[in-house]
Amino acid sequence: MRDRFAATVARAVARIAAAAGPKRMRALARINRYVTNPVQRLWAPYLPYMAVLEHKGRKSGKPYRTPVLAFIESGAITVPLNYGTESDWVRNIQAAGAGGVVHRGKRYLLTAPQVLPADSDELPAVMRAAGMPGRSVLVGTLGPLVGG
């Protein structure tokens, strides 16, 4: 039941992103950064299919907290890249090779982040079932956050 609901959520988000197209999704990302994300940061750490990614700017070193749609299972995280691989948070986490994750009120250390095609056999079945051809996802390993 839970996997079916997760697949439905992933499919719905993928359809919206596909219908909007890359240019509109990038414009939406800019709006979200300043309008939606501050509000979502309040509840995203507590919802089943959302998380807050904590990362530092590649150049500034400034700390950021980005709410994302996230699927967490068996010590791994999968995040659909609805705004593409060029999002600052994706590049920040890849450059650092790690980041923090807050999910359902618990803090984790994200390690080994990598971007994979959404139809990769390495992904959980729920993500492959979402049907996101030509799209990408960020995957990584979750472990306990030392001092968190």
Side-chain angles (χ1 to χ4, degrees), residues 9-137:
V9 169
R11 251 190 315 277
V13 170
R15 286 183 183 146
I16 291 167
K23 284 186 179 181
R24 286 191 184 113
M25 289 304 291
R26 289 304 313 153
L28 181 61
R30 286 188 293 278
I31 293 168
N32 281 344
R33 175 182 279 179
Y34 300 106
V35 179
T36 312
N37 286 358
V39 175
Q40 285 186 341
R41 278 192 288 270
L42 299 174
W43 64 68
Y46 306 103
L47 296 177
Y49 299 110
M50 291 199 73
V52 171
L53 298 181
E54 300 174 326
H55 51 98
K56 291 188 178 183
R58 296 177 306 286
K59 298 174 187 170
S60 69
K62 180 180 173 182
Y64 292 97
R65 298 181 70 238
T66 305
V68 295
L69 179 68
F71 298 91
I72 295 177
E73 185 178 316
S74 303
I77 185 170
T78 306
V79 180
L81 300 180
N82 296 316
Y83 304 119
T85 58
E86 63 276 359
S87 294
D88 285 332
W89 70 264
V90 175
R91 296 187 305 172
N92 290 344
I93 287 177
Q94 284 187 302
V101 175
V102 183
H103 176 68
R104 301 202 84 170
K106 294 182 183 176
R107 297 175 60 87
Y108 301 93
L109 176 65
L110 165 63
T111 58
Q114 58 181 321
V115 174
L116 296 175
D119 57 359
S120 172
D121 289 338
E122 297 177 47
L123 297 178
V126 67
M127 286 307 302
R128 291 192 313 272
M132 302 184 324
R135 307 288 305 288
S136 299
V137 297

